[in-house]
Amino acid sequence: MSNIQQAGTFTPATFKLGSHTVKRLGYGAMQLAGPGVFGPPKNHDAALAVLREAVAQGIDHIDTSDFYGPHVTNQLIREALAPYKDDLVIVTKIGARRGSDGSWLPAFSPEALTQAVHDNLDNLGLEVLDVVNLRIMFDTHGPAEGSIEAPLTVLAGLQQQGLVRHIGLSNVTSAQIAQGRRIAEIVCVQNQYNLAHRGDDALIDNLARDGIAYVPFFPLGGFNPLQSSTLSDVAARLGATPMQVALAWLLRRAPNILLIPGTSSVGHLRENLAAGELELSEGALGELDAMAA
């Protein structure tokens, strides 16, 4: 158990996300679906409780997608939180669909992208989506080069129709971001990044200079949780958990990083939020930075 404060609302530093300014520690709803992000949650009431606790603790940025489940997390969000608070930003994503076996498949056709936006609207109970990330699925294992003009033009058209306020990109390269910014205003980029997976170091700094939010997915390692003796040693000295240290390092890494750690547990949610209060010394930061080598 961490020695960090576990109760009370959380008020970390903020950063602009579209037309809102949000706290830098938000919540990712992916883990509310069943195993493999497929099917219903193991405990429906517990999933609702996590969402309500997140908002009660002051979280104003929730990340989701209608292909989580599919439909499951969006329907849970609506059941738990609608009507939504005015300051709550719900960010969703399109560009993929789920196979009957739970596989993750590209869904880039104009019809698929349009249907995905309408599905997100219907299942969240919204008339307009705050932010929609276009997830690029040229390679399911990570970013891969290729033109994103066609699918992004479709999403920009849906924005012009008033169904989407802001556009982000996910699982993309620097070249694709540059191409995307010539087509539409990009307010955020969502790529894999954490203490051990730091290929986007330069990209994060470039986006920070342009005032664009960077939202790392799998900030704690995702399906392969971070494991490191260095991380464990730093956490032990601070009276924190390794995952709290990993989140605190990300908050220190760059001012434009917005975190969306996911969990299906109220207790784990509170532990994640407490990471925002964790002070990392220069020595600890040096040890953690060295993990990338």
Side-chain angles (χ1 to χ4, degrees):
M1 176 63 66
S2 168
N3 291 333
I4 305 170
Q5 177 71 27
Q6 292 292 314
T9 57
F10 172 63
T11 54
T14 59
F15 195 81
K16 190 167 174 120
L17 178 59
S19 52
H20 285 76
T21 297
V22 299
K23 295 169 186 171
R24 292 182 57 214
L25 226 171
Y27 173 72
M30 184 176 75
Q31 292 188 30
L32 294 183
V37 201
F38 197 66
K42 293 179 180 178
N43 186 323
H44 183 90
D45 290 344
L48 298 180
V50 170
L51 288 163
R52 290 168 179 154
E53 179 68 10
V55 171
Q57 287 285 330
I59 284 177
D60 55 10
H61 169 204
I62 292 178
D63 181 86
T64 185
S65 174
D66 208 55
F67 56 72
Y68 293 163
H71 315 308
V72 169
T73 61
N74 281 354
Q75 291 170 353
L76 288 168
I77 289 169
R78 181 177 185 175
E79 182 179 354
L81 302 178
Y84 303 108
K85 296 177 64 176
D86 290 341
D87 65 348
L88 179 63
V89 178
I90 298 176
V91 178
T92 189
K93 63 186 70 65
I94 62 175
R97 64 181 178 85
R98 306 302 294 279
S100 59
D101 59 352
S103 55
W104 305 79
L105 305 170
F108 283 157
S109 72
E111 295 79 13
L113 295 169
T114 300
Q115 186 62 53
V117 164
H118 283 283
D119 286 345
N120 276 281
L121 288 166
D122 290 344
N123 285 306
L124 287 168
L126 293 169
E127 295 183 355
V128 58
L129 299 171
D130 288 321
V131 183
V132 175
N133 285 318
L134 176 63
R135 180 168 177 82
I136 303 305
M137 295 281 288
F138 297 152
D139 186 337
T140 57
H141 300 293
E145 295 293 359
S147 175
I148 65 172
E149 180 178 1
L152 184 55
T153 299
V154 173
L155 181 53
L158 294 165
Q159 183 184 40
Q160 291 165 7
Q161 292 176 34
L163 301 178
V164 175
R165 288 196 181 95
H166 303 287
I167 292 173
L169 296 172
S170 177
N171 202 42
V172 285
T173 67
S174 294
Q176 288 164 339
I177 295 167
Q179 181 186 36
R181 294 180 69 186
R182 293 191 292 268
I183 298 169
E185 180 185 6
I186 302 302
V187 302
C188 58
V189 171
Q190 189 177 103
N191 278 2
Q192 183 177 1
Y193 184 83
N194 53 52
L195 261 171
H197 191 284
R198 297 185 53 184
D200 275 358
D201 269 335
L203 174 61
I204 290 170
D205 295 335
N206 290 336
L207 293 174
R209 284 191 289 270
D210 289 341
I212 297 173
Y214 183 93
V215 188
F217 64 76
F218 295 159
L220 302 176
F223 299 116
N224 299 294
L226 295 174
Q227 295 185 21
S228 161
S229 58
T230 298
L231 184 58
S232 297
D233 290 346
V234 171
R237 294 201 305 268
L238 293 173
T241 70
M243 297 301 98
Q244 286 173 323
V245 172
L247 292 174
W249 178 86
L250 284 166
L251 289 172
R252 284 288 301 269
R253 169 61 186 83
N256 62 323
I257 287 181
L258 302 179
L259 298 184
I260 50 167
T263 179
S264 58
S265 158
V266 168
H268 189 202
L269 170 72
R270 291 171 179 163
E271 281 196 357
N272 287 342
L273 292 180
E277 310 293 341
L278 184 58
E279 297 283 344
L280 297 178
S281 68
E282 292 304 316
L285 285 169
E287 291 179 68
L288 297 169
D289 287 342
M291 284 176 56

